[in-house]
Every structure is written in structure tokens, then in C-alpha cells.
Amino acid sequence: MTAETVAVVVVTHNRAELLDRLLDGLAAQTRRPDAVVVVDNASTDGTAALLASRSDLPLQVITQDNLGGAGGFHAGVRAAYDAGWDRVWLVDDDVLPAPGCLEALMSVDEDCLIAVREDLTGALVEKAAVEFDLRNPLAIHPKRATVDAVYPDRASMPPLVEVQNVAFEGFMARRSVVEEIGFPDPAFFIFYDDAEYAVRARRAGHRIMGVRDAVLVRQLDFNQQHDLSGWKGFYMYRNLFVVHLRHGENLLVRLKPWLITLAVVVLSPLRGGRAEARNVIRAMASARGMRRLTATARPPR
């Protein structure tokens, strides 16, 4: 295992201060990364100057238009794959790995892993689901129990915990996984690109294991509440629908997006207006065109 190489993929947009702390954390790893691919989604806040000033890491910088987290991780994973690295570790710019985080991940002989997140107080905030249900048509949201709902703290966890979905805030995969299932789908822009990738990996027969001793600290509060009537609400609805349309395990689950759309439209007068209804109608129309995996996300030939 120790002979395997690893590239870290980071996506950033206008968060130079957070990115700088992350890069400090990567430079302090007991097992230093072989490459750090930073995808800069058109930052305008001094990120370029920061990256140019760092000489303590093997940086590869990709600058592109703002294609969202999904487009950023797609570009970064493809670059790491093309460079031939054995493993790729995806991290967001607002996390900070403990010094032994990467070493703990690299010591585990599994194809798919996640580091386990905590907040600045040390409280466990790992939201990866131990159950991601695409069988039950009555489950409005497929994410069921999460790691931090099952275990009160890190000390209560076993060394490895199997999970069924991931966040691209500490997910690691071997090159063989990318060869088999392809790349993160850039069409998602934001939200659910990581969950969809995890479904693909599990459908291909790969377990995803959370590594208790791989500590990843979130620098910002964990806020999963979003305005469903705003622009983020469109992506949350659309991409949730795409996951169901692509991966629903029976007809009723694949019909669930239509039922959610109908319910939101019918209840919109009681939920504060029509903006959310317009969002969900647009989301359903767009999701229908995304039933198939985007061509650039398919496995490399």
C-alpha cells in the first residue's frame, strides 16, 4: 500500500484565505501528497497570487470558468487520472486535514474511502449516509441515517464504517475505480454530484469505507439549509431528481420526481409563493434531459 501514489484534488472559488489554510494542512501531512491539483473556478480575490506564491507543495493549477464544484472536480479528477496517479483524494477548500489524515487513508486497502469530518469544536459532523435508499418510493429523501446520527463521537466509531454516499470533502478513490465508472458528472454544477458518483461506485461493486482515524476538520459551520425558491434550490431539486431517474431501483422510485414536482406545485400557495414551484418545474424539465450520464463523465477508453 505504501508504494501507491496519490494526488489531491481541490476545487476553489474566491476563498483564498480558506484555501491557504488547507494548503498549509496538506503541506503538514505526515504522508505528503505526490501532487496537488487545484482547480480555480475563475476566482477574482487573489487566489491566483496565493497559488503562485506556494512553493512547498507539488502544485498543478487549472484555471477555468466557474463550472461549479461538479465541473471543478470533473476537471481535477481527469487531470489526476491523465497523470497516472494511483489514488485521487478530493477535498474542498473549506476543510483542514489533521497531520495524519492522508497517511491514515493510504494505510487502508479499500478502493473507495472517506475521511471523517468534525467541526472546530471536535464534534463529529460526518453527514455521509450509512443508508442511501433508492428502493423505497415513500422516502422523500434517499439519505437516511448518517454517520454522526449513528455514532455520538469519533471514539464510539469502529476503525472502518461502511457508508453509501459521500461528500467531495475527503473522498478517495483508486485509479481502477475511475477506469471502471468514469469521472464526476460536470453537468450537476453543484449538489449531488458526489452522491451520484458514490452510487455509481457501489453499483460497480465497490465498498465505501469511512476511516475513523482520518480526521478532517470543517473550517465553516455545517449548514445544509438552502432557499428552495432561489438559484440553489433549482440545482438541489434537479440533481436530486437526476439521481432518482438514473439510479432508482424500481419504477415507483423513478416516478418519485414527478410526484414531488406535483406536490410542490399544489402546495406552493401555502409555502410562501410561486418561486419554488417555478424552480421545481424547471428542475423536472431539465432532469429529464440528464437521465444518461454526460458523455465526458463516462469511463475513459
Side-chain angles (χ1 to χ4, degrees), residues 7-11 35-39 58-62 75-77 79-80 83 85:
V8 183
V9 172
V10 184
V11 176
V36 178
V37 181
V38 179
V39 182
L59 286 178
Q60 175 188 350
V61 179
I62 299 172
V77 173
W85 304 114

Side-chain angles (χ1 to χ4, degrees), residues 275-299:
E276 184 180 354
R278 288 194 294 269
N279 253 357
V280 78
I281 291 170
R282 289 176 52 235
M284 187 67 244
S286 181
R288 292 176 62 194
M290 291 175 60
R291 284 190 178 98
R292 295 184 178 180
L293 188 65
T294 303
T296 56
R298 293 172 187 164

Side-chain angles (χ1 to χ4, degrees), residues 179-194:
E179 289 176 342
E180 187 174 4
I181 72 170
F183 303 93
D185 193 335
F188 277 68
F189 191 70
I190 57 170
F191 301 128
Y192 292 105
D193 53 318
D194 39 19

